[in-house]
Amino acid sequence: MAPDRGSHIQKGDPRYQAITAEDSIDKEDTDEESSEFGDDVPIIPPDSQDPRGGSETRQFLAGDADEAQNFTFRGVLVGLAIGVIICFSNTYFGLQTGWVSGMAMPAALIGFAFFKTISRHIGYPFTPVENVLVQTVAGAVGTMPLGCGFVGVLPALNYMLTPDENGPLMLGTGKLIIWSLGIAFFGVFIAVPLRKEVIIREKLKFPSGTATALMIGVLHAGTDKNGTKGENSMETFRRRSEDMLQPPRSSEGQDTMDGYTGSMSEGQGIDRRDDWKAKIRLLVIAFMTLVSYFMPQLHHVPILGLTLANQWLWTLNPSPAYVGQGIIMGPATTLHMLLGAVVGWGILSPLAKRNGWAPGPVEDWGTGSKGWIVWISLAIMLADSVVSLGWLLLRPLIRHAPQYLGELRERVKRGRFPRILHFVSSKGNYAPLDNSASDTADAEISNSAQHNITRITSAPKASHEPPKDKEPTISEPDAPPEHLISNRVALIGFVASIILCTACIHIVFGSLIPLHATLIAILLALLLSVMGVRALGETDLNPVSGISKLTQLCFALIIPASNKNSVIINLLAGAISESGALQAGDMMQDLKTGHLLGAAPKAQFYGQLIGSFVGAIVSAAVYQLYTSVYEIPGGMFQVPTGYVWVFTARLVTGKGLPDMAWQWALGAGSIFAVLTVARIAGHGRQWQAWIPGGIAVAVGMYNVPSFTLARTIGGLGNWYWRSYHKREEAPVIVLASGLILGEGVVSIVNLLLASLKVPHL
């Protein structure tokens, strides 16, 4: 790893993150180097008297923030190239099942592999902070198919609306790009002010961001550009990252999986840096995807017999990518999906067909049981989303209300009214940083399943009087001010992004959606994104599906069903909120990664904006390419999430429900509302995994069984690896990522073959 560049900070400056208080660093790690970027920068010696401890690690990280590699032209280009590949992959899988992944770890791994290959031909080393930039840009580009609605909302508008709903709406490439650019940025600006609260003050885990940081740190650890060993600081980083990487695996499934929650132990898994080439070779395993183009029958293997396959769609799609998705999701989520498939396709589908509620062919979305059971899955998703997001909103009030009220009463009695507002704004136990403080702080690790973060047990001088029975938890030292995004830039950018969003939507859709509806949708996106970011930080799952469905439910109350454009408005409002929540969550995961590695937040911010801009254009072009080559919806690309979107809009506006659908939907929703409450109450307990998660069950219902069976195989493989073999999860997760990305790459070849009309066998 390249040595630290140093930093112009004073002794004891607490501005940057201290990973632990007990770390030490060899003197050889602080030797001066001949800088390739200008004059040498002095480095704080190891015996610096930092009042908070951990000065060596602070020096290690603050030095990285000053590296010129924080933002490089080559890093941006490589990130964009990787992001385009991920964009193709996510469009391919998204149109099939709605599954989209940020692919942060594969992006970092590919970036490392590329620069490792050309290391002899570059003028300065590829460092961890530059890898952070690469994966930030790649993730911003790669997630745009979901963020801009190209795997759900746009297919619904283009192909699934009826003439009574003023549809279908066919948009040209130009309008698709304008739409994408309009909703591609405001979520990024939402994340900026949240960073200090959730990462610096509350120190939420963001397990995928921490896992990515750990992998980048391990890949780059060992030697600097001069071949000098420099392990001690990285060992400090490794210890802290592992302590933060122990959240309980949630069994919630959703249509965007942002990573994994596994830990990586020293000496195992990806800690073996020399086998990175083997990890990259996993991409070629997806050769089966190419074979399946010439033999499409491989997508539907009748493992349960021809009768179940032909009449009730019970087949297996032996795709390596879907097995890989199951590995990442884990056994609990995939078994809950299997439960949804059994209930939906094994019980409800035959029941609806036999009773005449869905008289058409089973595979028909309009009159068949395939469409009928979607209504049941929608009710389950709505119930789960309302209860889960409601709890996220109420939990802080319930947890902190007694403390707030007690403190307010004390201040009222003392007549200290000017202090009341300050108390409320200081977030109770979180004391603001005092850069002039000289008190000492001891670090301890909390191994609680719910609070697996580093806590500092004594605070500097606080600007308010905390309760005497609790010692305040201080914020982690933050990056130097010159590396932070200024409040002015964040405010101007946020206002400009709202104006851009409003203008672009008006250009594309004209009078179909009124101005006040657009502004309300953006406001809801802002509020719900805060809850989504908090959920992502605590559970590693960004509930974008729930957020979009909750927005659709709210708009059913705002826009009357008598409005002829009510379904279109409902869809667009949900798309805006989903985009904001996805971008904010994606940005926060990346900022967590950068915070642990000492990358400059400002560099990540501009990298995210560049990636979002390019991703908006590329995703629109890729979507147009797929829709022009393949039949959508149909064949390989049924676009189930598109039907989920439009059916949700019809459900909440009271339109188009088939026979007996609302009765069964009401019953299923009520059952899963109770089950979701039970899951919340059982958080952190072993029996919680036995209570099915609503989103996972719903996904198993609206996707055909062929995908669910493949994912279940992957989930059981994950369980076999971890429980039977007692092995670390990291290697199998890397394998799964390679399978997914590999098939995504080969799908580009299949797209080319289809566009050239190469015949099947």
Side-chain angles (χ1 to χ4, degrees):
M1 174 177 178
D4 301 332
R5 306 293 181 198
S7 174
H8 296 290
I9 57 176
Q10 302 299 320
K11 289 183 179 182
D13 190 337
R15 291 179 299 171
Y16 213 72
Q17 174 176 351
I19 286 185
T20 182
E22 295 85 27
D23 57 317
S24 61
I25 188 169
D26 292 340
K27 290 191 180 279
E28 65 184 69
D29 293 327
T30 61
D31 290 343
E32 294 184 1
E33 61 165 326
S34 57
S35 174
E36 301 178 19
F37 308 101
D39 297 335
D40 290 346
V41 181
I43 297 177
I44 298 176
D47 57 354
S48 173
Q49 299 299 314
D50 187 345
R52 294 174 191 255
S55 62
E56 301 87 353
T57 306
R58 186 173 298 107
Q59 162 211 318
F60 173 76
L61 293 174
D64 282 351
D66 282 334
E67 282 188 7
Q69 288 102 315
N70 269 282
F71 192 88
T72 63
F73 182 69
R74 70 182 191 183
V76 171
L77 284 182
V78 172
L80 291 176
I82 297 172
V84 169
I85 296 174
I86 297 174
C87 182
F88 270 94
S89 176
N90 280 336
T91 303
Y92 174 78
F93 295 118
L95 291 174
Q96 285 187 344
T97 65
W99 194 92
V100 169
S101 173
M103 291 286 181
M105 293 185 68
L109 183 63
I110 294 173
F112 177 82
F114 174 77
F115 281 103
K116 183 79 170 179
T117 302
I118 65 170
S119 59
R120 296 183 180 180
H121 308 288
I122 56 179
Y124 49 93
F126 182 63
T127 63
V129 295
E130 191 172 8
N131 206 339
V132 169
L133 174 67
V134 168
Q135 66 91 24
T136 298
V137 174
V141 178
T143 55
M144 277 298 134
L146 177 64
C148 296
F150 291 118
V151 298
V153 174
L154 265 300
L157 292 171
N158 295 160
Y159 303 108
M160 302 170 191
L161 293 180
T162 65
D164 293 338
E165 297 163 339
N166 278 345
L169 294 177
M170 300 305 298
L171 303 176
T173 304
K175 285 194 172 182
L176 288 177
I177 292 175
I178 294 173
W179 154 261
S180 302
L181 291 174
I183 64 172
F185 299 107
F186 70 91
V188 178
F189 289 98
I190 291 174
V192 172
L194 295 178
R195 175 186 176 274
K196 187 170 185 179
E197 179 62 33
V198 299
I199 292 179
I200 305 303
R201 289 178 177 163
E202 299 187 34
K203 294 171 280 188
L204 297 185
K205 296 180 288 292
F206 291 97
S208 286
T210 303
T212 304
L214 179 60
M215 190 192 76
I216 292 174
V218 170
L219 286 172
H220 290 265
T223 58
D224 60 26
K225 66 172 186 176
N226 298 316
T228 305
K229 287 288 181 181
E231 291 283 353
N232 285 350
S233 293
M234 190 54 65
E235 288 301 321
T236 296
F237 167 76
R238 191 199 312 278
R239 287 196 301 272
R240 173 134 189 281
S241 298
E242 286 177 345
D243 285 326
M244 297 178 70
L245 262 172
Q246 303 294 335
R249 177 179 288 279
S250 170
S251 61
E252 287 298 309
Q254 58 180 54
D255 58 356
T256 175
M257 302 295 294
D258 286 316
Y260 73 95
T261 57
S263 62
M264 304 175 193
S265 295
E266 181 178 358
Q268 297 185 8
I270 63 169
D271 190 32
R272 300 190 183 111
R273 296 182 305 277
D274 294 336
D275 67 354
W276 60 270
K277 293 182 180 179
K279 303 296 189 297
I280 296 299
R281 293 191 191 104
L282 293 173
L283 299 178
V284 304
I285 299 177
F287 179 73
M288 181 179 175
T289 306
L290 184 61
V291 175
S292 67
Y293 174 83
F294 297 99
M295 301 177 63
Q297 298 84 356
L298 291 176
H299 292 297
H300 307 285
V301 179
I303 60 170
L304 299 179
L306 291 176
T307 301
L308 288 177
N310 295 331
Q311 295 186 13
W312 305 108
L313 308 185
W314 278 94
T315 61
L316 170 68
N317 183 353
S319 160
Y322 286 103
V323 174
Q325 292 174 15
I327 292 173
I328 292 177
M329 293 174 181
T333 297
T334 53
L335 288 176
H336 294 167
M337 288 182 178
L338 182 62
L339 174 64
V342 171
V343 172
W345 295 91
I347 299 175
L348 294 180
S349 176
L351 184 66
K353 179 76 171 178
R354 187 187 65 183
N355 290 311
W357 306 332
V362 171
E363 65 274 11
D364 188 89
W365 286 99
T367 61
S369 56
K370 184 177 185 178
W372 190 87
I373 60 178
V374 169
W375 297 99
I376 315 303
S377 68
L378 284 179
I380 295 172
M381 293 177 69
L382 283 172
D384 185 281
S385 301
V386 170
V387 174
S388 299
L389 295 176
W391 171 244
L392 283 175
L393 182 64
L394 292 175
R395 182 179 56 183
L397 300 178
I398 296 173
R399 181 176 297 174
H400 299 297
Q403 177 187 339
Y404 284 168
L405 293 176
E407 184 71 14
L408 287 173
R409 280 196 297 267
E410 288 295 323
R411 295 190 184 281
V412 169
K413 288 180 182 178
R414 298 173 188 172
R416 300 174 65 181
F417 295 98
R419 302 282 290 178
I420 295 177
L421 182 60
H422 186 272
F423 167 77
V424 173
S425 65
S426 64
K427 302 293 181 187
N429 287 337
Y430 296 105
L433 274 177
D434 183 356
N435 287 343
S436 64
S438 60
D439 303 77
T440 61
D442 297 324
E444 66 176 9
I445 301 296
S446 169
N447 290 320
S448 165
Q450 299 183 20
H451 302 285
N452 230 349
I453 58 177
T454 300
R455 291 188 176 274
I456 309 297
T457 57
S458 62
K461 299 173 184 178
S463 57
H464 65 81
E465 298 177 7
K468 295 182 179 180
D469 59 335
K470 283 188 178 182
E471 293 185 4
T473 301
I474 68 168
S475 304
E476 289 190 356
D478 201 356
E482 62 269 21
H483 296 302
L484 297 175
I485 306 104
S486 68
N487 292 332
R488 180 181 180 184
V489 170
L491 179 60
I492 293 175
F494 181 64
V495 173
S497 66
I498 291 177
I499 295 173
L500 176 65
C501 178
T502 305
C504 289
I505 291 177
H506 178 73
I507 292 172
V508 175
F509 297 102
S511 59
L512 290 177
I513 177 170
L515 176 62
H516 73 274
T518 302
L519 296 177
I520 293 174
I522 294 173
L523 177 61
L524 281 174
L526 172 62
L527 298 176
L528 294 175
S529 293
V530 175
M531 291 191 291
V533 165
R534 185 169 296 280
L536 183 62
E538 294 177 353
T539 68
D540 206 33
L541 290 175
N542 192 352
V544 294
S545 290
I547 286 173
S548 61
K549 301 303 174 284
L550 189 58
T551 301
Q552 289 185 271
L553 183 61
C554 292
F555 261 76
L557 304 176
I558 297 171
I559 304 297
S562 57
N563 188 318
K564 62 180 181 180
N565 297 319
S566 59
V567 173
I568 294 176
I569 296 172
N570 195 279
L571 291 171
L572 294 177
I576 292 171
S577 65
E578 181 180 64
S579 179
L582 177 70
Q583 294 164 27
D586 181 50
M587 184 71 201
M588 204 60 66
Q589 289 276 32
D590 293 337
L591 288 172
K592 182 67 175 184
T593 300
H595 182 63
L596 289 172
L597 289 167
K602 184 185 293 186
Q604 289 185 263
F605 171 71
Y606 289 119
Q608 183 84 14
L609 290 180
I610 293 172
S612 296
F613 176 80
V614 174
I617 298 174
V618 170
S619 60
V622 172
Y623 173 73
Q624 280 289 75
L625 190 58
Y626 269 93
T627 55
S628 63
V629 172
Y630 293 103
E631 178 189 359
I632 294 179
M636 289 176 55
F637 303 102
Q638 293 290 327
V639 201
T641 49
Y643 286 100
V644 168
W645 273 95
V646 73
F647 282 17
T648 301
R650 291 168 182 166
L651 176 66
V652 298
T653 56
K655 298 180 179 179
L657 274 73
D659 291 342
M660 294 298 293
W662 76 264
Q663 293 94 332
W664 281 88
L666 180 62
S670 301
I671 292 172
F672 274 88
V674 174
L675 290 176
T676 304
V677 171
R679 284 177 53 79
I680 292 173
H683 179 71
R685 302 178 183 179
Q686 291 185 347
W687 54 264
Q688 185 205 35
W690 295 95
I691 300 178
I695 301 296
V697 172
V699 171
M701 278 191 179
Y702 71 69
N703 276 312
V704 291
S706 61
F707 300 117
T708 302
L709 292 176
R711 287 169 169 170
T712 303
I713 292 172
L716 293 177
N718 181 305
W719 169 83
Y720 179 79
W721 176 266
R722 290 188 299 117
S723 300
Y724 186 79
H725 281 290
K726 307 294 184 183
R727 301 290 298 275
E728 291 293 326
E729 191 180 28
V732 74
I733 294 296
V734 174
L735 167 66
S737 299
L739 293 176
I740 297 167
L741 194 56
E743 183 163 337
V745 171
V746 178
S747 71
I748 302 175
V749 179
N750 285 6
L751 179 65
L752 177 62
L753 294 175
S755 64
L756 296 175
K757 301 188 184 303
V758 176
H760 305 294
L761 296 179

mmCIF file with all atom_site columns, all heavy atoms in Angstrom, residues 117-128:
data_model
loop_
_atom_site.group_PDB
_atom_site.id
_atom_site.type_symbol
_atom_site.label_atom_id
_atom_site.label_alt_id
_atom_site.label_comp_id
_atom_site.label_asym_id
_atom_site.label_entity_id
_atom_site.label_seq_id
_atom_site.pdbx_PDB_ins_code
_atom_site.Cartn_x
_atom_site.Cartn_y
_atom_site.Cartn_z
_atom_site.occupancy
_atom_site.B_iso_or_equiv
_atom_site.pdbx_formal_charge
_atom_site.auth_seq_id
_atom_site.auth_comp_id
_atom_site.auth_asym_id
_atom_site.auth_atom_id
_atom_site.pdbx_PDB_model_num
ATOM 1  N N   . THR A 1 117 ? -2.928 -5.216 -13.185 1.00 0.00 ? 117 THR A N   1
ATOM 2  C CA  . THR A 1 117 ? -2.419 -5.718 -14.455 1.00 0.00 ? 117 THR A CA  1
ATOM 3  C C   . THR A 1 117 ? -1.512 -4.702 -15.145 1.00 0.00 ? 117 THR A C   1
ATOM 4  O O   . THR A 1 117 ? -0.501 -5.072 -15.758 1.00 0.00 ? 117 THR A O   1
ATOM 5  C CB  . THR A 1 117 ? -3.595 -6.089 -15.380 1.00 0.00 ? 117 THR A CB  1
ATOM 6  O OG1 . THR A 1 117 ? -4.412 -7.062 -14.724 1.00 0.00 ? 117 THR A OG1 1
ATOM 7  C CG2 . THR A 1 117 ? -3.096 -6.654 -16.699 1.00 0.00 ? 117 THR A CG2 1
ATOM 8  N N   . ILE A 1 118 ? -1.857 -3.423 -15.043 1.00 0.00 ? 118 ILE A N   1
ATOM 9  C CA  . ILE A 1 118 ? -1.084 -2.388 -15.752 1.00 0.00 ? 118 ILE A CA  1
ATOM 10 C C   . ILE A 1 118 ? -0.162 -1.630 -14.806 1.00 0.00 ? 118 ILE A C   1
ATOM 11 O O   . ILE A 1 118 ? 0.297  -0.533 -15.143 1.00 0.00 ? 118 ILE A O   1
ATOM 12 C CB  . ILE A 1 118 ? -2.029 -1.410 -16.472 1.00 0.00 ? 118 ILE A CB  1
ATOM 13 C CG1 . ILE A 1 118 ? -2.865 -0.630 -15.458 1.00 0.00 ? 118 ILE A CG1 1
ATOM 14 C CG2 . ILE A 1 118 ? -2.921 -2.135 -17.467 1.00 0.00 ? 118 ILE A CG2 1
ATOM 15 C CD1 . ILE A 1 118 ? -3.647 0.520  -16.076 1.00 0.00 ? 118 ILE A CD1 1
ATOM 16 N N   . SER A 1 119 ? 0.103  -2.190 -13.634 1.00 0.00 ? 119 SER A N   1
ATOM 17 C CA  . SER A 1 119 ? 0.856  -1.465 -12.608 1.00 0.00 ? 119 SER A CA  1
ATOM 18 C C   . SER A 1 119 ? 2.241  -1.027 -13.085 1.00 0.00 ? 119 SER A C   1
ATOM 19 O O   . SER A 1 119 ? 2.765  -0.007 -12.633 1.00 0.00 ? 119 SER A O   1
ATOM 20 C CB  . SER A 1 119 ? 0.990  -2.325 -11.348 1.00 0.00 ? 119 SER A CB  1
ATOM 21 O OG  . SER A 1 119 ? 1.642  -3.547 -11.647 1.00 0.00 ? 119 SER A OG  1
ATOM 22 N N   . ARG A 1 120 ? 2.850  -1.781 -13.997 1.00 0.00 ? 120 ARG A N   1
ATOM 23 C CA  . ARG A 1 120 ? 4.187  -1.426 -14.473 1.00 0.00 ? 120 ARG A CA  1
ATOM 24 C C   . ARG A 1 120 ? 4.170  -0.264 -15.451 1.00 0.00 ? 120 ARG A C   1
ATOM 25 O O   . ARG A 1 120 ? 5.228  0.280  -15.793 1.00 0.00 ? 120 ARG A O   1
ATOM 26 C CB  . ARG A 1 120 ? 4.834  -2.642 -15.149 1.00 0.00 ? 120 ARG A CB  1
ATOM 27 C CG  . ARG A 1 120 ? 5.089  -3.815 -14.200 1.00 0.00 ? 120 ARG A CG  1
ATOM 28 C CD  . ARG A 1 120 ? 5.785  -4.946 -14.938 1.00 0.00 ? 120 ARG A CD  1
ATOM 29 N NE  . ARG A 1 120 ? 6.045  -6.084 -14.052 1.00 0.00 ? 120 ARG A NE  1
ATOM 30 C CZ  . ARG A 1 120 ? 6.640  -7.209 -14.438 1.00 0.00 ? 120 ARG A CZ  1
ATOM 31 N NH1 . ARG A 1 120 ? 7.059  -7.332 -15.704 1.00 0.00 ? 120 ARG A NH1 1
ATOM 32 N NH2 . ARG A 1 120 ? 6.837  -8.187 -13.579 1.00 0.00 ? 120 ARG A NH2 1
ATOM 33 N N   . HIS A 1 121 ? 2.987  0.098  -15.895 1.00 0.00 ? 121 HIS A N   1
ATOM 34 C CA  . HIS A 1 121 ? 2.896  1.115  -16.941 1.00 0.00 ? 121 HIS A CA  1
ATOM 35 C C   . HIS A 1 121 ? 2.245  2.410  -16.448 1.00 0.00 ? 121 HIS A C   1
ATOM 36 O O   . HIS A 1 121 ? 1.956  3.280  -17.272 1.00 0.00 ? 121 HIS A O   1
ATOM 37 C CB  . HIS A 1 121 ? 2.097  0.570  -18.126 1.00 0.00 ? 121 HIS A CB  1
ATOM 38 C CG  . HIS A 1 121 ? 2.597  -0.748 -18.626 1.00 0.00 ? 121 HIS A CG  1
ATOM 39 N ND1 . HIS A 1 121 ? 3.777  -0.888 -19.327 1.00 0.00 ? 121 HIS A ND1 1
ATOM 40 C CD2 . HIS A 1 121 ? 2.087  -2.013 -18.508 1.00 0.00 ? 121 HIS A CD2 1
ATOM 41 C CE1 . HIS A 1 121 ? 3.972  -2.161 -19.637 1.00 0.00 ? 121 HIS A CE1 1
ATOM 42 N NE2 . HIS A 1 121 ? 2.957  -2.873 -19.146 1.00 0.00 ? 121 HIS A NE2 1
ATOM 43 N N   . ILE A 1 122 ? 1.991  2.533  -15.159 1.00 0.00 ? 122 ILE A N   1
ATOM 44 C CA  . ILE A 1 122 ? 1.377  3.749  -14.635 1.00 0.00 ? 122 ILE A CA  1
ATOM 45 C C   . ILE A 1 122 ? 2.392  4.505  -13.797 1.00 0.00 ? 122 ILE A C   1
ATOM 46 O O   . ILE A 1 122 ? 3.288  3.920  -13.187 1.00 0.00 ? 122 ILE A O   1
ATOM 47 C CB  . ILE A 1 122 ? 0.109  3.432  -13.811 1.00 0.00 ? 122 ILE A CB  1
ATOM 48 C CG1 . ILE A 1 122 ? 0.413  2.458  -12.679 1.00 0.00 ? 122 ILE A CG1 1
ATOM 49 C CG2 . ILE A 1 122 ? -0.982 2.881  -14.713 1.00 0.00 ? 122 ILE A CG2 1
ATOM 50 C CD1 . ILE A 1 122 ? -0.806 2.142  -11.818 1.00 0.00 ? 122 ILE A CD1 1
ATOM 51 N N   . GLY A 1 123 ? 2.228  5.829  -13.767 1.00 0.00 ? 123 GLY A N   1
ATOM 52 C CA  . GLY A 1 123 ? 3.223  6.661  -13.124 1.00 0.00 ? 123 GLY A CA  1
ATOM 53 C C   . GLY A 1 123 ? 3.123  6.735  -11.621 1.00 0.00 ? 123 GLY A C   1
ATOM 54 O O   . GLY A 1 123 ? 4.104  7.039  -10.947 1.00 0.00 ? 123 GLY A O   1
ATOM 55 N N   . TYR A 1 124 ? 1.946  6.476  -11.054 1.00 0.00 ? 124 TYR A N   1
ATOM 56 C CA  . TYR A 1 124 ? 1.784  6.522  -9.606  1.00 0.00 ? 124 TYR A CA  1
ATOM 57 C C   . TYR A 1 124 ? 0.814  5.422  -9.190  1.00 0.00 ? 124 TYR A C   1
ATOM 58 O O   . TYR A 1 124 ? -0.010 4.971  -9.979  1.00 0.00 ? 124 TYR A O   1
ATOM 59 C CB  . TYR A 1 124 ? 1.294  7.890  -9.130  1.00 0.00 ? 124 TYR A CB  1
ATOM 60 C CG  . TYR A 1 124 ? 0.104  8.444  -9.867  1.00 0.00 ? 124 TYR A CG  1
ATOM 61 C CD1 . TYR A 1 124 ? -1.196 8.220  -9.412  1.00 0.00 ? 124 TYR A CD1 1
ATOM 62 C CD2 . TYR A 1 124 ? 0.274  9.202  -11.030 1.00 0.00 ? 124 TYR A CD2 1
ATOM 63 C CE1 . TYR A 1 124 ? -2.283 8.736  -10.081 1.00 0.00 ? 124 TYR A CE1 1
ATOM 64 C CE2 . TYR A 1 124 ? -0.816 9.719  -11.702 1.00 0.00 ? 124 TYR A CE2 1
ATOM 65 C CZ  . TYR A 1 124 ? -2.091 9.484  -11.220 1.00 0.00 ? 124 TYR A CZ  1
ATOM 66 O OH  . TYR A 1 124 ? -3.174 9.983  -11.898 1.00 0.00 ? 124 TYR A OH  1
ATOM 67 N N   . PRO A 1 125 ? 0.936  4.944  -7.955  1.00 0.00 ? 125 PRO A N   1
ATOM 68 C CA  . PRO A 1 125 ? 0.226  3.723  -7.554  1.00 0.00 ? 125 PRO A CA  1
ATOM 69 C C   . PRO A 1 125 ? -1.278 3.901  -7.450  1.00 0.00 ? 125 PRO A C   1
ATOM 70 O O   . PRO A 1 125 ? -1.788 5.005  -7.271  1.00 0.00 ? 125 PRO A O   1
ATOM 71 C CB  . PRO A 1 125 ? 0.841  3.400  -6.184  1.00 0.00 ? 125 PRO A CB  1
ATOM 72 C CG  . PRO A 1 125 ? 1.286  4.714  -5.656  1.00 0.00 ? 125 PRO A CG  1
ATOM 73 C CD  . PRO A 1 125 ? 1.761  5.501  -6.848  1.00 0.00 ? 125 PRO A CD  1
ATOM 74 N N   . PHE A 1 126 ? -1.951 2.790  -7.575  1.00 0.00 ? 126 PHE A N   1
ATOM 75 C CA  . PHE A 1 126 ? -3.402 2.717  -7.370  1.00 0.00 ? 126 PHE A CA  1
ATOM 76 C C   . PHE A 1 126 ? -3.650 2.453  -5.890  1.00 0.00 ? 126 PHE A C   1
ATOM 77 O O   . PHE A 1 126 ? -3.321 1.392  -5.373  1.00 0.00 ? 126 PHE A O   1
ATOM 78 C CB  . PHE A 1 126 ? -3.989 1.601  -8.230  1.00 0.00 ? 126 PHE A CB  1
ATOM 79 C CG  . PHE A 1 126 ? -5.478 1.458  -8.138  1.00 0.00 ? 126 PHE A CG  1
ATOM 80 C CD1 . PHE A 1 126 ? -6.318 2.475  -8.546  1.00 0.00 ? 126 PHE A CD1 1
ATOM 81 C CD2 . PHE A 1 126 ? -6.041 0.283  -7.639  1.00 0.00 ? 126 PHE A CD2 1
ATOM 82 C CE1 . PHE A 1 126 ? -7.698 2.331  -8.468  1.00 0.00 ? 126 PHE A CE1 1
ATOM 83 C CE2 . PHE A 1 126 ? -7.407 0.131  -7.555  1.00 0.00 ? 126 PHE A CE2 1
ATOM 84 C CZ  . PHE A 1 126 ? -8.242 1.164  -7.975  1.00 0.00 ? 126 PHE A CZ  1
ATOM 85 N N   . THR A 1 127 ? -4.221 3.414  -5.195  1.00 0.00 ? 127 THR A N   1
ATOM 86 C CA  . THR A 1 127 ? -4.343 3.355  -3.741  1.00 0.00 ? 127 THR A CA  1
ATOM 87 C C   . THR A 1 127 ? -5.778 3.044  -3.324  1.00 0.00 ? 127 THR A C   1
ATOM 88 O O   . THR A 1 127 ? -6.704 3.106  -4.136  1.00 0.00 ? 127 THR A O   1
ATOM 89 C CB  . THR A 1 127 ? -3.919 4.693  -3.118  1.00 0.00 ? 127 THR A CB  1
ATOM 90 O OG1 . THR A 1 127 ? -4.820 5.720  -3.573  1.00 0.00 ? 127 THR A OG1 1
ATOM 91 C CG2 . THR A 1 127 ? -2.492 5.052  -3.513  1.00 0.00 ? 127 THR A CG2 1
ATOM 92 N N   . PRO A 1 128 ? -5.996 2.746  -2.036  1.00 0.00 ? 128 PRO A N   1
ATOM 93 C CA  . PRO A 1 128 ? -7.364 2.469  -1.570  1.00 0.00 ? 128 PRO A CA  1
ATOM 94 C C   . PRO A 1 128 ? -8.336 3.598  -1.834  1.00 0.00 ? 128 PRO A C   1
ATOM 95 O O   . PRO A 1 128 ? -9.490 3.355  -2.195  1.00 0.00 ? 128 PRO A O   1
ATOM 96 C CB  . PRO A 1 128 ? -7.171 2.220  -0.076  1.00 0.00 ? 128 PRO A CB  1
ATOM 97 C CG  . PRO A 1 128 ? -5.781 1.736  0.063   1.00 0.00 ? 128 PRO A CG  1
ATOM 98 C CD  . PRO A 1 128 ? -4.988 2.468  -0.977  1.00 0.00 ? 128 PRO A CD  1
#
